[in-house]
Amino acid sequence: MTDRPIKWDKSYYSFTGFRDPDEDLEHVSKMETTLASWLDSNGKRAIKKLENSLPLRKELDRLKDELSHQLQLSDIRWQRSWGLAHRCSQLHSLGRLAQQNLETLKNAKGCTVIFTDRSGISAVGHVMLGTMDVHHHWSKLFERLPSYFDLQRRLMLLEDQISRLLGDIQVVYIEELQPVLTLDEYYSLLDVFYKRLLKKRVPFHPQSLRGLQMILNSDRYAPSLHELGHFNIPTLCDPVNLQWFFLTKAQQARENMKRKDELKVMEDELIQASTKKFSLEKFYKEPSVSSKQMVDCCKRLLGQSLPYLQGMHLCVSHFYSVMQDGDLCIPWNWKNGDTMK
């Protein structure tokens, strides 16, 4: 047996959407370069890739619009950063299935479809299509959607019952911050927590926590307050300790939520201003980049002159990269010449 790490071919990372660790190490080593010099070195290459990708981008938009209209979907999304060719291929697969079994697929009316690693229904009710699954698995999932909708209604009722027991705090599931759970897994999590609350009924004044939010976590041992204003509550938390924690942290939670809302408004305004100033075709960020980081990045960008960005797709991330379809990734905390001196 060898203890050497497995070295996958580059095509593996392109197909699966996973990060290439070799590229990540390369990105880290280049982190200290300046934004202007990096754009100067990579701008032309990105423009060429972007130009080559335009037909595929049009094809992707066409397929997405057609399927969304045909199946009356709310949206179609991807969990990973697959390239345009793979996204088009996935939509073609869904399109062929729609041709074969249209009435069954219409069960997804009003839903959001997400191409991801496994098939099922997400905690928030999105239809997840595993990209490695065959059509048979997808068909079975669409057939079972009515039963999942019933489970979703029971889940929402369970959230309301927990809310009433805890001073009308809102129980939420935040996709960007929580592990990916199926509807069944999330229902089980809520059910365990609800039964613990019933065993130790702790009196909360009605509506005392109205306007506040909490998420449930199975991998935490102590409650905490997130900087965005929501409470992180362990499923197996003692309800008695929970009461004291809510009471002492409620005011801070309200202040955090207010600051989060103000930050989001500022972020949207700065994204709009940056898009306009640099004539960007698209400007977005990775989910792992916070609003605070995005605001800091945009403020500094607006003070620069960056002609290479005109007409480009710019993504704020944690490293520099030219994606296979021409999108430019820059770290939110990019360096300029002044900070390097």
Side-chain angles (χ1 to χ4, degrees):
M1 296 290 290
T2 176
D3 58 358
R4 288 182 301 171
I6 298 173
K7 188 171 180 65
W8 295 99
D9 187 83
K10 296 290 184 184
S11 60
Y12 167 79
Y13 299 104
S14 174
F15 179 75
T16 61
F18 289 115
R19 297 288 187 202
D20 183 344
D22 288 341
E23 284 190 8
D24 284 349
L25 285 172
E26 189 180 332
H27 294 146
V28 170
S29 68
K30 292 180 178 178
M31 278 296 287
E32 292 307 308
T33 191
T34 67
L35 177 60
S37 66
W38 186 83
L39 288 174
D40 190 52
S41 300
N42 294 275
K44 290 180 180 178
R45 182 163 64 100
I47 290 171
K48 186 175 181 180
K49 284 189 173 186
L50 183 61
E51 288 174 347
N52 292 338
S53 74
L54 291 179
L56 268 180
R57 291 182 188 275
K58 289 181 180 179
E59 175 71 357
L60 181 67
D61 289 341
R62 183 187 68 79
L63 290 169
K64 185 177 176 181
D65 289 343
E66 285 182 1
L67 277 170
S68 296
H69 178 73
Q70 184 181 24
L71 304 179
Q72 296 180 279
L73 300 174
S74 175
D75 193 12
I76 298 177
R77 292 193 236 150
W78 287 264
Q79 187 185 41
R80 296 195 180 279
S81 54
W82 282 292
L84 294 169
H86 285 106
R87 295 188 182 205
C88 286
S89 175
Q90 291 154 5
L91 290 181
H92 277 301
S93 293
L94 183 59
R96 286 193 295 272
L97 186 60
Q99 289 177 347
Q100 298 164 8
N101 203 350
L102 181 59
E103 290 307 310
T104 299
L105 266 64
K106 281 188 174 180
N107 284 337
K109 178 181 177 180
C111 293
T112 291
V113 167
I114 301 181
F115 290 97
T116 181
D117 296 329
R118 58 171 174 166
S119 295
I121 303 299
S122 76
V124 292
H126 297 332
V127 180
M128 301 189 299
L129 299 180
T131 56
M132 302 301 288
D133 291 337
V134 295
H135 278 183
H136 174 72
H137 292 127
W138 288 6
S139 294
K140 287 294 181 184
L141 176 62
F142 283 107
E143 286 175 9
R144 295 175 59 196
L145 281 183
S147 65
Y148 279 116
F149 295 152
D150 180 61
L151 177 61
Q152 191 174 22
R153 284 188 287 270
R154 288 190 283 128
L155 184 147
M156 293 170 68
L157 179 62
L158 194 54
E159 286 179 333
D160 288 341
Q161 289 171 325
I162 293 172
S163 175
R164 282 196 292 271
L165 289 174
L166 297 177
D168 290 311
I169 193 171
Q170 184 184 11
V171 183
V172 296
Y173 177 88
I174 304 175
E175 291 179 273
E176 297 83 4
L177 300 177
Q178 293 182 255
V180 177
L181 297 177
T182 64
L183 197 65
D184 308 82
E185 292 167 344
Y186 186 47
Y187 184 88
S188 297
L189 202 66
L190 289 168
D191 191 48
V192 168
F193 184 69
Y194 178 61
K195 287 174 179 174
R196 288 180 66 83
L197 289 179
L198 288 179
K199 282 183 181 178
K200 292 185 178 181
R201 282 184 173 267
V202 179
F204 278 85
H205 190 279
Q207 301 186 13
S208 60
L209 298 177
R210 180 178 287 275
L212 298 180
Q213 296 179 335
M214 61 166 275
I215 64 174
L216 273 180
N217 275 304
S218 58
D219 57 348
R220 286 181 173 270
Y221 298 98
S224 62
L225 174 61
H226 196 276
E227 63 176 355
L228 298 180
H230 62 266
F231 291 101
N232 282 314
I233 305 301
T235 312
L236 302 179
C237 181
D238 185 343
V240 176
N241 294 338
L242 195 58
Q243 182 190 36
W244 176 248
F245 180 75
F246 278 145
L247 289 174
T248 55
K249 298 290 185 179
Q251 184 56 39
Q252 183 63 53
R254 295 186 192 281
E255 292 173 6
N256 286 8
M257 288 186 74
K258 182 181 178 183
R259 189 159 56 246
K260 176 194 74 173
D261 293 339
E262 292 170 349
L263 206 57
K264 187 68 176 77
V265 171
M266 188 186 303
E267 179 186 19
D268 292 341
E269 290 174 348
L270 288 168
I271 288 174
Q272 188 176 0
S274 300
T275 303
K276 183 177 180 180
K277 174 175 179 175
F278 300 111
S279 301
L280 292 164
E281 183 65 26
K282 184 179 180 183
F283 187 33
Y284 61 105
K285 67 174 184 177
E286 287 196 341
S288 58
V289 175
S290 69
S291 291
K292 187 176 180 180
Q293 290 169 334
M294 189 65 171
V295 165
D296 179 68
C297 176
C298 290
K299 282 182 176 179
R300 296 170 60 235
L301 276 177
L302 288 168
Q304 303 293 309
S305 176
L306 303 167
Y308 267 124
L309 292 182
Q310 185 173 350
M312 298 303 294
H313 291 235
L314 183 64
C315 173
V316 176
S317 178
H318 296 276
F319 52 78
Y320 287 108
S321 178
V322 178
M323 306 299 281
Q324 58 182 319
D325 296 307
D327 288 37
L328 286 167
C329 283
I330 64 169
W332 69 270
N333 57 343
W334 52 269
K335 304 292 191 296
N336 59 27
D338 295 333
T339 57
M340 297 289 289
K341 293 175 183 178

